[in-house]
Amino acid sequence: TDIPKIENLPELPGVPMFGSLFLLGKHHARNCARLAKEYGDVFQVRLGNRRFIYANSFEAVKEIWIRNQSALMSRPKLWTFDVVSETQGVYTLGTSPWSESLKKARKAAATALNRQAVQTYLPFIDLECTTSINELFQNGKKSYDIDPNGYFQRFSLNISLTLNYGIRIQGTVHDQMLNEVVAVERELGNIRGIAHGWQDYVPLLRLLPGYKANAIKFRARRDEYLLDFYEQLKERMAKGTDHPCIAGNVLKDPEAQLTDNELKSICLTMVAAGLDTLPGNINMTIAYLSSEHGQEIQERMYDEIIKSYPDEDPWDACLYEEKSEFVVSFVKEVLRYWSTLNLSFNRQSTKDITYKGALIPAGTPFLMNMWAANHDPEHFKDPMRFIPDRFMGLSTVGEGTQHFGYGAGTRMCAGVHLANRELYVVFTRLVLAFRILETTNPKKRPILDTIECNSVPTSMVTQPKPFQVRFVPRDSSRLEGWVNSSMEKTAHL
Ligand code: HEM
């Protein structure tokens, strides 16, 4: 292995050349959680010729990712993803190893995504959320049974495009560009999945045709739409019709502190970052809400929302203030329960770390088994149950990390404020607008197991297997009123 065996730290059994790849199979998260019962919650694993440290409990993640955060700031490079980034010369912020340049680009992105900045994006959340709910409403008139996937992919992508380039996809969920971006980013997400490509760990496999060609093909398709978005922005700037946005601000500022590659890295990140994570959470939660327990949750949630906004219109007010403690707790439970990035993004240490007597040298890659930490029975009561009010009574400040849905420590998700507000608004409005029911066709019903629901188990992010639910408007004329008022308010965007 690249890193020699670490003393005083359990190691999973393996075979020559492949290490523990066969043992871990496609479901690293669940298999490691099982193996942790035998080998301890932190162990070393040989994946081909690379050595990784896996952390599989809430306490272990807290110890390594939070208490040792200054030592865990980098990301390892993997062969296939390197091919994707080869000619472009840039990584997304989430895949970049630590460097001064990354620090600058990350700071620029973090400023554009901080709590204050998110307040200025509320009209975009209003527009995109209304567009998706309205399309569900209109399509529901033809058939109540709908697969919600595309609706929230467009929601997420359009917000990213608006923030970054000042543009949005105007089409329906069948729009060609939307589907191209979703398909390509999904494949790139697969490539980044730790369990996906054994060629990352077994160099001999790289000689087989296909791996490199596939990565290059998807990289080329991504380059094409990134260029297209960039050109659209430049065209608008030339005509003076551009909207304020991250890329535009950098381009217009003669003293911009960012290089071309740093800007490119931000653009790449913005397009990719929320595209699967956010819809994965929304869609699996819609699936859950259609279940028997989901019916109870929807009724409680509806009452709680109405109670929390007594003198205001909740459709509008939920944009500005997260007044319902129940919905806030529900959102946290969504992130904990589904753990859609079930192995988070891997990290690499920049300094030695000592863990329970084991000296782990700088340069070692680490994997947070987010799924295992978020379902750790030592930390969470009934971890396998979805309990919407689980986090009620816990203040958002001073209670430490409550779940690891956004990772932890120095390289924690930079989009957390935006994502939290998006989830709060989407769930509040969905419950105000509809009763989400099970479809009458049993074959189209969702799989609700947090691991089995994933159509590509080796991917980086959970991609729900296709399913349908019924969206039945609670009150069509009220919903029409809400849609019309939001559309009027956001018409200028
Ligand atoms: C529900 C939605 C989301 C989830 C569950 C999620 C989760 C994550 C996780 C687990 C990481 C890795 C953190 C770590 O290494 O500890 C991450 C990184 C990141 N996320 Fe998110 N994310 C979401 C939405 C977003 C959005 C909407 C954006 C921005 C538009 C965003 C921007 C980023 C960036 C820039 C990083 C890289 C941070 C770094 O490496 O320094 N995320 N996210």
Side-chain angles (χ1 to χ4, degrees):
T1 46
D2 51 350
I3 295 185
K5 186 171 172 176
I6 296 159
E7 297 297 316
N8 303 324
L9 195 66
E11 184 185 39
L12 292 190
V15 295
M17 202 146 96
F18 291 93
S20 306
L21 283 167
F22 290 106
L23 177 69
L24 296 184
K26 288 184 174 172
H27 298 289
H28 279 214
R30 192 171 52 191
N31 291 340
C32 283
R34 281 188 195 137
L35 286 159
K37 292 195 181 114
E38 192 178 338
Y39 292 90
D41 53 3
V42 177
F43 46 64
Q44 52 187 316
V45 183
R46 279 190 304 122
L47 301 180
N49 67 359
R50 301 202 65 175
R51 186 172 297 279
F52 279 75
I53 309 293
Y54 279 56
N56 299 288
S57 69
F58 196 91
E59 194 44 45
V61 169
K62 210 164 148 187
E63 174 63 29
I64 299 173
W65 267 255
I66 298 178
R67 296 195 190 110
N68 283 286
Q69 55 179 295
S70 67
L72 211 63
M73 302 203 300
S74 200
R75 309 261 186 209
K77 283 191 175 187
L78 293 177
W79 181 80
T80 323
F81 208 71
D82 235 24
V83 173
V84 174
S85 317
E86 215 167 55
T87 56
Q88 267 182 346
V90 291
Y91 282 71
T92 61
L93 297 180
T95 34
S96 295
W98 189 250
S99 68
E100 278 310 307
S101 174
L102 166 79
K103 222 162 99 180
K104 249 168 51 185
R106 196 186 189 282
K107 193 167 165 214
T111 308
L113 292 167
N114 70 20
R115 211 183 281 273
Q116 247 175 329
V118 170
Q119 289 301 318
T120 64
Y121 306 149
L122 302 179
F124 307 131
I125 299 179
D126 189 7
L127 170 63
E128 299 308 337
C129 184
T130 306
T131 304
S132 286
I133 288 186
N134 188 33
E135 204 171 326
L136 285 171
F137 179 37
Q138 299 309 328
N139 289 343
K141 289 179 184 163
K142 293 173 227 150
S143 150
Y144 279 145
D145 292 339
I146 293 179
D147 181 338
N149 270 291
Y151 297 81
F152 294 100
Q153 279 158 342
R154 183 192 49 204
F155 165 84
S156 183
L157 179 62
N158 266 354
I159 291 181
S160 294
L161 291 179
T162 306
L163 301 194
N164 200 58
Y165 301 99
I167 58 172
R168 65 186 289 267
I169 289 172
Q170 306 271 355
T172 68
V173 285
H174 304 296
D175 183 271
Q176 211 184 342
M177 179 60 98
L178 170 69
N179 286 293
E180 171 67 2
V181 179
V182 166
V184 172
E185 293 300 330
R186 180 149 282 186
E187 186 56 31
L188 294 170
N190 293 345
I191 287 175
R192 282 178 68 188
I194 191 78
H196 199 72
W198 287 15
Q199 70 280 7
D200 282 336
Y201 320 109
V202 184
L204 255 181
L205 292 179
R206 294 173 200 165
L207 300 175
L208 296 175
Y211 289 129
K212 193 163 183 173
N214 191 45
I216 291 173
K217 187 177 83 190
F218 280 96
R219 179 187 70 205
R221 281 170 63 181
R222 179 167 73 179
D223 284 353
E224 217 169 288
Y225 56 74
L226 285 174
L227 189 68
D228 183 82
F229 297 148
Y230 194 62
E231 290 301 322
Q232 283 190 51
L233 167 63
K234 285 201 352 203
E235 225 175 273
R236 284 174 179 224
M237 282 170 68
K239 288 189 201 149
T241 55
D242 57 305
H243 297 296
C245 60
I246 301 171
N249 291 349
V250 175
L251 287 173
K252 278 181 193 166
D253 178 1
E255 304 198 349
Q257 301 289 311
L258 296 180
T259 64
D260 256 13
N261 272 359
E262 286 157 2
L263 175 60
K264 258 187 178 175
S265 173
I266 294 180
C267 293
L268 260 181
T269 307
M270 291 302 292
V271 172
L275 191 54
D276 273 331
T277 48
L278 209 78
N281 278 289
I282 296 174
N283 291 319
M284 281 320 302
T285 303
I286 288 175
Y288 194 84
L289 288 176
S290 74
S291 70
E292 212 180 310
H293 183 213
Q295 302 310 305
E296 270 172 49
I297 297 176
Q298 287 181 67
E299 288 323 298
R300 164 119 191 245
M301 197 150 148
Y302 184 82
D303 292 344
E304 294 273 355
I305 294 167
I306 299 298
K307 213 169 67 189
S308 303
Y309 297 97
D311 307 315
E312 296 158 293
D313 180 345
W315 177 272
D316 206 37
C318 71
L319 273 173
Y320 304 100
E321 210 180 332
E322 295 177 15
K323 280 193 182 168
S324 167
E325 197 195 354
F326 181 80
V327 182
V328 171
S329 166
F330 175 85
V331 166
K332 289 180 193 166
E333 180 68 345
V334 162
L335 292 156
R336 180 201 74 84
Y337 186 74
W338 296 109
S339 294
T340 53
L341 275 138
N342 55 39
L343 295 167
S344 191
F345 297 170
N346 38 27
R347 294 280 188 90
Q348 185 159 298
S349 55
T350 48
K351 296 181 204 159
D352 293 352
I353 293 178
T354 306
Y355 181 77
K356 294 193 177 165
L359 179 72
I360 305 169
T364 304
F366 283 74
L367 254 162
M368 173 197 292
N369 188 344
M370 178 201 290
W371 183 84
N374 274 344
H375 293 87
D376 182 350
E378 298 289 316
H379 188 84
F380 294 105
K381 192 165 171 266
D382 285 335
M384 296 302 170
R385 281 184 55 215
F386 186 94
I387 304 179
D389 52 9
R390 183 187 291 280
F391 294 96
M392 278 177 88
L394 293 181
S395 134
T396 40
V397 282
E399 302 276 351
T401 304
Q402 294 174 8
H403 63 79
F404 292 122
Y406 290 117
T410 19
R411 301 287 297 267
M412 187 180 156
C413 178
V416 48
H417 300 300
L418 176 64
N420 273 338
R421 186 56 62 94
E422 289 178 311
L423 292 172
Y424 183 91
V425 172
V426 165
F427 291 132
T428 301
R429 286 188 169 185
L430 272 173
V431 167
L432 285 172
F434 302 111
R435 282 198 174 84
I436 299 169
L437 307 177
E438 204 168 57
T439 154
T440 45
N441 182 350
K443 287 196 186 134
K444 304 266 180 179
R445 286 185 194 151
I447 294 170
L448 296 179
D449 180 271
T450 53
I451 296 281
E452 298 300 330
C453 66
N454 193 352
S455 60
V456 185
T458 51
S459 183
M460 186 180 62
V461 190
T462 302
Q463 301 172 18
K465 288 180 180 156
F467 67 86
Q468 292 187 343
V469 298
R470 311 199 119 194
F471 290 93
V472 181
R474 279 180 191 265
D475 177 341
S476 293
S477 67
R478 189 139 193 235
L479 178 52
E480 230 161 64
W482 280 328
V483 167
N484 291 339
S485 101
S486 280
M487 285 306 187
E488 253 172 54
K489 276 190 215 142
T490 57
H492 62 287
L493 296 176

